[in-house]
Amino acid sequence: MSWTSTEISNWSKGLPASTNLEKISEKNRNVFFNGGSDYSINEKHSVGINLQASKNTSVDNGKSLTDINTSGVSDIFYIRSLNDSESSGKRLFGNLHYLGLLDSLGTKLTADLDYTKVNTNSESLLSNSRWINELENLSSRDFILTRNTMDYNIFTAKADLVRPLGKGRILEAGIKGSWVKSDNNLDLSKAAEEGPFQPDPNSNRFIYEENVQAAYSSYKSKFSDKVSFQAGLRAEYSDITGTSVTLQQVNTQRYLDFFPSINVQQGIVTGK
């Protein structure tokens, strides 16, 4: 819990002077788990697993009182704000990993499966009261209620192969796919005095989906003992859909991209 007091004086410039007093209290709780294990099937093949889970909660309460006094004006204007909010979040992550040594040359195959799920919820109520001089009982009040829920689901799968070909030559190839879906629901409503809450036009629910599949291959070799090179190509296909549930609008994008690359290195030998 903390108190903050701020005073701003602009009378010499003919502007209003103000005093602000704030009180903020916060309560947070976090829980986290992380665990994993590896298992060797034999001397050439192994698998592993990693699990993570976390949960957090937060409660915040804020109060502020501001008085505004204008030079040459006898009236003092007051504004009191109360902001109460609660939020919570959960995260779950899992990884399954495979490693295989396929031959005596050092050919290696790795594979990963990842899954992430995130959920957050928050709710806050902001109220403002305004009055002049000591007539607080005649104050006008308004309220803003905000609710926000977000859900994320991310799944990825990938496999990579590294094959030495001898004499410094290496061939690499791999594939990867990712599937992402997020659902964000922002609900705003406002009320004046003791009237009912009315929906705010800025409320919106938006769903985002992204599917990406990619493949790559690269080859590394030498021109000589001092000069080496690596050339590769990556192809990526993306399928993206954005849906505004509130506006009943759907936007889609689908495209295929190619990313070639080449790298040449010159070794430097120093001597006396």
Side-chain angles (χ1 to χ4, degrees):
M1 181 181 296
S2 62
W3 288 85
T4 302
S5 179
T6 305
E7 183 174 352
I8 301 175
S9 178
N10 295 296
W11 280 356
S12 61
K13 302 178 182 180
L15 300 175
S18 65
T19 301
N20 183 58
L21 181 63
E22 295 182 346
K23 177 183 178 182
I24 301 174
S25 64
E26 300 178 343
K27 294 181 180 180
N28 300 290
R29 181 182 180 184
N30 298 280
V31 180
F32 179 76
F33 167 81
N34 184 18
S37 178
D38 293 304
Y39 174 74
S40 295
I41 302 173
N42 53 45
E43 61 181 8
K44 293 186 177 181
H45 302 275
S46 64
V47 294
I49 187 172
N50 176 249
L51 295 175
Q52 299 177 12
S54 62
K55 180 180 180 180
N56 63 80
T57 58
S58 176
V59 178
D60 301 326
N61 303 106
K63 301 178 181 180
S64 69
L65 176 63
T66 303
D67 64 74
I68 303 173
N69 189 358
T70 303
S71 177
V73 179
S74 59
D75 292 330
I76 300 177
F77 298 87
Y78 293 90
I79 302 174
R80 172 180 284 118
S81 297
L82 305 176
N83 191 358
D84 300 323
S85 63
E86 296 183 4
S87 63
S88 64
K90 297 179 182 178
R91 177 182 178 271
L92 177 66
F93 170 79
N95 167 263
L96 182 63
H97 177 74
Y98 166 79
L99 170 62
L101 302 178
L102 304 185
D103 55 34
S104 59
L105 296 176
T107 302
K108 181 171 65 175
L109 175 64
T110 60
D112 284 274
L113 296 176
D114 295 332
Y115 176 71
T116 304
K117 181 177 179 61
V118 180
N119 172 264
T120 62
N121 294 277
S122 64
E123 179 176 316
S124 66
L125 177 62
L126 172 65
S127 64
N128 295 304
S129 302
R130 303 173 182 84
W131 68 92
I132 300 176
N133 298 327
E134 303 301 323
L135 304 178
E136 184 176 358
N137 59 321
L138 299 180
S139 63
S140 61
R141 293 196 300 173
D142 59 71
F143 303 86
I144 301 176
L145 178 62
T146 304
R147 295 188 178 100
N148 194 10
T149 301
M150 294 183 288
D151 288 293
Y152 297 91
N153 289 275
I154 305 172
F155 176 75
T156 60
K158 67 175 183 177
D160 298 282
L161 177 69
V162 179
R163 181 174 176 79
L165 302 176
K167 298 181 179 181
R169 298 173 298 166
I170 300 176
L171 177 65
E172 297 183 19
I175 57 174
K176 181 179 180 179
S178 67
W179 296 263
V180 179
K181 182 176 181 180
S182 67
D183 189 343
N184 190 331
N185 189 10
L186 177 63
D187 184 12
L188 298 172
S189 56
K190 297 180 179 180
E193 301 300 339
E194 302 301 328
F197 281 90
Q198 301 294 332
D200 188 273
N202 291 313
S203 299
N204 187 40
R205 181 185 178 189
F206 187 78
I207 299 175
Y208 177 82
E209 297 175 274
E210 178 187 83
N211 302 327
V212 179
Q213 288 79 46
Y216 79 93
S217 179
S218 68
Y219 177 73
K220 183 177 181 180
S221 185
K222 294 181 178 180
F223 290 122
S224 65
D225 292 338
K226 296 182 180 180
V227 181
S228 63
F229 74 93
Q230 182 173 357
L233 177 65
R234 181 167 65 93
E236 182 176 292
Y237 174 75
S238 300
D239 184 354
I240 301 173
T241 301
T243 304
S244 175
V245 179
T246 305
L247 301 177
Q248 298 183 343
Q249 294 180 351
V250 178
N251 295 312
T252 60
Q253 291 184 355
R254 296 181 179 89
Y255 51 88
L256 176 64
D257 285 329
F258 294 92
F259 304 92
S261 64
I262 186 168
N263 182 23
V264 179
Q265 292 184 330
Q266 168 71 54
I268 299 176
V269 179
T270 60
K272 296 181 180 179

